[in-house]
Amino acid sequence: MANVFKGRSLNVIEDFSINERRYLFRKVMELKKAIVCNDEETMSGFRVDDPDFGIYEVFLEDSTRTKESFRNAAKFHHAKVSELMCSSSSINKGESFADTFNMLSGYSNRIFIVRSKVEGLTKWLSEECGEYAVRNALPYKPAFINAGDGKHEHPTQELLDEFTFLEDQDMDFSHIHLALVGDLYHGRTVHSKADGLKVFDSVKVDLIAPEELMMPESYIEIMKENGFEVRIFPSIAEYLASGDVAKMWYFTRPQLERMGERILQKQDILRDAITFKEQFLPLIAPGTKFYHPLPRHKEHPTIPTFLDKTELNGWERQAINGMYVRMVLLSLIAGKVGSDYEGCAEDVKDYRSEEYIISVKPQDNVRKEKNYSEGVRPIENGIVIDHICKGDSPSEIRNHMRLISSVLNLDESKGGEWVSRGSDGKYKGIIFRPGDYELSRKDLKRLAAVAPHCTLNIVRNSKVESKFRTHMPPRIYNFSDLSCKNEACISNPCNGEGVPAVFFRTQDDKYRCAYCGKVHSFKEIWNKRG
Ligand code: CP
């Protein structure tokens, strides 16, 4: 049977489906038992055992656990393990990430493990190096593993966290009640949980952090869309007072140094809200476990060191599990295990099949004078974009019409914009441009991307020759004047890598960057002009 894992990249936790992750966890359990019992036969079933199989670590940010557990996992496989000396590499001479990784791909390296503060980097590299492999007839397409990208995701940490939770509830996937405590704003390990915890059938999450460290609203939204029950508490003390307290607590390190002087002045108060104290011990249920991705801060640990020798300590085993999880992940991507996976192929959305520019039959009759909107007169030839921003205030409609006019390059032509009020009492905008206009399919796509839910009339000889209604495109891409507004994203122009922006529509009609996941309104994705 074909191995669905072979050569796959793991950029975000969702790159592996729920069933694929469940399969991985069962394999981790199998390998962990084999290693503990020194069962060489089972271990050899996982081992890649190929000294030419190149696994390359590129850590552009510091790491101990992720880097060293991957290095030890790679050694288990008897693979060729390399590490890029980032502080002395040509990246520091202004070489692009694409050039660096393309070249390393050509040196017989099949799996790259990359940590960077640039969000979405491995997704971009997996696309770019895949094309390089084809151009250069490499016998493989390199796979990428995101070992943590800025504030975005840390999918292998998510895998080892999920495995440890499951280990502690006898591999029961039916339910989890988890408290997330600490710096939920910066912590990429908790951001990965917004989708990661979907591996459980039912999820209740308690978010415990003061306002300054609370999880970004976009991740809370994802949790809610995923059907999680989400509760919010400003401090551990207030959480314990609620009377409904999880038996699994996941702490993260406060990254206050990233938050500027105003926050640093409050650091003692903020730390206090998310630090566990001895007097809390009688308030938690027997069997409670604490977890932490580590490192803890040596002066200000939010799980104090006096708890290390107690039954609460789940974080030490969690860190050890990191190596087992990463051993299995490398086995899967190398194609050594996975051919017995029986999960169904995941539904891949075909974005080409959704039509969002609908051609409608123009009405035969020329409209009577009395039906014209106030102040608007018919044009003999030209285009009329109608129903813009229906319902918004006149000033919002005018701002939006300025954006449409500039995106469609209509600023220099004659014509005008008008705000009218319909018989339903709602405002709407109309742009009209007299002249000879030929609109290509690409022009119509731009119109839909900047003015969804409008009507375009193409007028010739005083008649509407053709008419289109626009809907929100399922993805917006392939326009040079788009950009993700997250400066940490690989596709933001400030990173200088020339990565074209790509956005996917969310359930609530916003647009999510394909690389870093930042959510934008359809108006925000266009570059400022002028
Ligand atoms: N948990 C984790 O990512 O640790 P490191 O930063 O040491 O890799």
Side-chain angles (χ1 to χ4, degrees):
M1 203 187 296
N3 187 330
V4 297
F5 297 98
K6 190 172 176 182
R8 289 264 290 278
S9 289
L10 180 65
N11 305 304
V12 292
I13 191 68
E14 284 276 85
D15 283 344
F16 278 27
S17 71
I18 292 170
N19 284 331
E20 287 171 345
R21 278 182 264 156
R22 287 179 176 183
Y23 171 88
L24 179 146
F25 297 138
R26 292 190 183 101
K27 288 289 171 191
V28 177
M29 190 59 90
E30 195 182 320
L31 179 62
K32 183 173 176 180
K33 277 188 190 147
I35 291 173
V36 171
C37 306
N38 202 18
D39 169 359
E40 187 51 48
E41 193 185 333
T42 303
M43 280 192 267
S44 65
F46 283 86
R47 203 172 259 132
V48 175
D49 215 4
D50 179 355
D52 293 327
F53 191 94
I55 298 176
Y56 219 105
E57 291 196 320
V58 181
F59 278 72
L60 296 147
E61 272 194 332
D62 297 342
S63 168
T64 301
R65 273 144 294 275
T66 313
K67 185 159 88 172
E68 297 308 324
S69 63
F70 262 123
R71 192 207 304 274
N72 284 282
K75 285 187 173 166
F76 163 84
H77 288 296
H78 303 160
K80 179 182 83 170
V81 188
S82 312
E83 180 187 350
L84 185 72
M85 293 301 142
C86 295
S87 61
S88 57
S89 87
S90 291
I91 290 174
N92 302 318
K93 297 184 201 166
E95 182 171 40
S96 73
F97 287 123
D99 276 358
T100 301
F101 282 86
N102 277 341
M103 187 228 19
L104 294 174
S105 306
Y107 299 164
S108 193
N109 292 302
R110 293 171 179 238
I111 301 180
F112 288 94
I113 299 153
V114 185
R115 172 171 288 187
S116 167
K117 62 178 187 309
V118 180
E119 300 177 13
L121 176 60
T122 58
K123 178 172 170 56
W124 163 240
L125 291 174
S126 60
E127 295 164 3
E128 183 66 18
C129 295
E131 289 176 19
Y132 174 91
V134 173
R135 279 200 303 277
N136 290 283
L138 298 185
Y140 52 84
K141 178 175 173 278
F144 284 81
I145 298 175
N146 176 7
D149 60 339
K151 295 199 294 285
H152 182 215
E153 281 224 25
H154 194 345
T156 64
Q157 180 71 45
E158 180 58 19
L159 290 174
L160 76 93
D161 293 344
E162 288 170 26
F163 175 74
T164 310
F165 304 149
L166 283 162
E167 199 177 36
D168 284 340
Q169 53 184 46
D170 299 325
M171 299 303 274
D172 176 5
F173 290 98
S174 67
H175 181 71
I176 190 165
H177 181 189
L178 181 68
L180 300 177
V181 190
D183 187 348
L184 310 184
Y185 183 80
H186 292 102
R188 55 196 172 202
T189 69
V190 289
H191 298 165
S192 284
K193 285 180 174 46
D195 279 322
L197 293 174
K198 275 160 66 182
V199 80
F200 299 92
D201 294 334
S202 133
V203 180
K204 180 168 171 178
V205 186
D206 299 330
L207 306 177
I208 303 161
E211 201 184 332
E212 294 84 346
L213 303 179
M214 185 42 74
M215 185 171 280
E217 196 55 43
S218 58
Y219 289 103
I220 298 177
E221 277 306 310
I222 293 172
M223 288 183 163
K224 289 180 179 167
E225 279 172 18
N226 288 337
F228 301 0
E229 181 183 345
V230 182
R231 304 187 302 163
I232 293 176
F233 300 89
S235 66
I236 293 177
E238 288 182 60
Y239 180 50
L240 290 168
S242 77
D244 179 7
V245 174
K247 287 177 78 176
M248 290 180 157
W249 293 42
Y250 186 93
F251 287 79
T252 62
R253 180 177 68 88
Q255 299 175 44
L256 302 179
E257 68 279 3
R258 295 182 194 253
M259 297 191 70
E261 199 49 41
R262 190 179 65 82
I263 302 295
L264 279 178
Q265 282 170 6
K266 294 172 72 179
Q267 59 182 300
D268 291 342
I269 300 167
L270 297 176
R271 276 206 191 90
D272 188 65
I274 53 172
T275 299
F276 197 82
K277 302 191 185 75
E278 197 165 2
Q279 66 262 32
F280 295 152
L281 279 172
L283 303 175
I284 54 174
T288 297
K289 285 277 181 226
F290 287 178
Y291 308 94
H292 196 305
L294 304 177
R296 283 185 292 185
H297 193 284
K298 63 185 173 189
E299 286 166 29
H300 306 289
T302 50
I303 302 180
T305 50
F306 74 85
L307 293 175
D308 290 3
K309 295 188 182 72
T310 69
E311 289 292 308
L312 289 169
N313 186 342
W315 60 91
E316 289 177 350
R317 186 169 35 84
Q318 178 190 0
I320 295 167
N321 282 340
M323 187 181 67
Y324 300 124
V325 167
R326 289 169 175 132
M327 281 172 174
V328 172
L329 182 63
L330 294 177
S331 271
L332 291 168
I333 295 174
K336 179 71 183 180
V337 293
S339 42
D340 61 339
Y341 171 72
E342 288 179 343
C344 49
E346 296 298 306
D347 285 342
V348 179
K349 191 166 169 43
D350 181 3
Y351 292 97
R352 287 164 302 185
S353 65
E354 186 177 330
E355 191 45 87
Y356 54 93
I357 303 160
I358 312 293
S359 173
V360 285
K361 197 168 175 287
Q363 305 230 329
D364 290 338
N365 56 323
V366 178
R367 296 174 74 193
K368 300 250 172 0
E369 180 80 12
K370 63 184 167 57
N371 287 339
Y372 300 139
S373 296
E374 181 191 2
V376 177
R377 287 292 176 273
I379 54 176
E380 268 182 44
N381 291 291
I383 54 172
V384 179
I385 306 167
D386 199 357
H387 297 101
I388 296 167
C389 277
K390 195 166 179 186
D392 285 351
S393 68
S395 62
E396 274 181 74
I397 293 172
R398 283 200 176 87
N399 284 339
H400 189 186
M401 289 198 291
R402 270 193 285 276
L403 176 69
I404 296 170
S405 173
S406 114
V407 166
L408 298 180
N409 289 320
L410 298 175
D411 280 349
E412 300 302 323
S413 44
K414 63 179 180 175
E417 286 81 34
W418 190 259
V419 175
S420 66
R421 197 172 189 184
S423 52
D424 57 2
K426 290 190 174 146
Y427 292 101
K428 62 173 184 167
I430 303 173
I431 296 176
F432 50 95
R433 292 288 186 273
D436 272 332
Y437 282 87
E438 293 288 342
L439 272 70
S440 66
R441 172 80 185 164
K442 191 161 181 176
D443 293 329
L444 294 177
K445 284 183 170 184
R446 280 177 82 78
L447 175 68
V450 72
H453 313 303
C454 77
T455 306
L456 168 71
N457 297 282
I458 299 176
V459 183
R460 291 212 208 284
N461 301 323
S462 300
K463 280 198 156 187
V464 177
E465 185 185 77
S466 46
K467 187 175 184 124
F468 300 91
R469 292 226 166 83
T470 59
H471 296 279
M472 298 195 92
R475 65 177 168 166
I476 303 179
Y477 68 111
N478 210 14
F479 300 131
S480 59
D481 48 353
L482 297 173
S483 62
C484 173
K485 300 303 178 265
N486 173 11
E487 289 193 354
C489 176
I490 185 70
S491 73
N492 185 288
C494 77
N495 282 307
E497 295 280 333
V499 179
V502 180
F503 298 93
F504 290 97
R505 196 182 64 213
T506 65
Q507 280 180 27
D508 58 349
D509 289 342
K510 299 238 169 66
Y511 283 92
R512 190 183 303 286
C513 169
Y515 294 101
C516 72
K518 182 176 167 60
V519 174
H520 305 69
S521 75
F522 71 89
K523 296 178 198 169
E524 284 169 335
I525 61 180
W526 301 95
N527 293 340
K528 284 216 162 48
R529 282 133 218 270

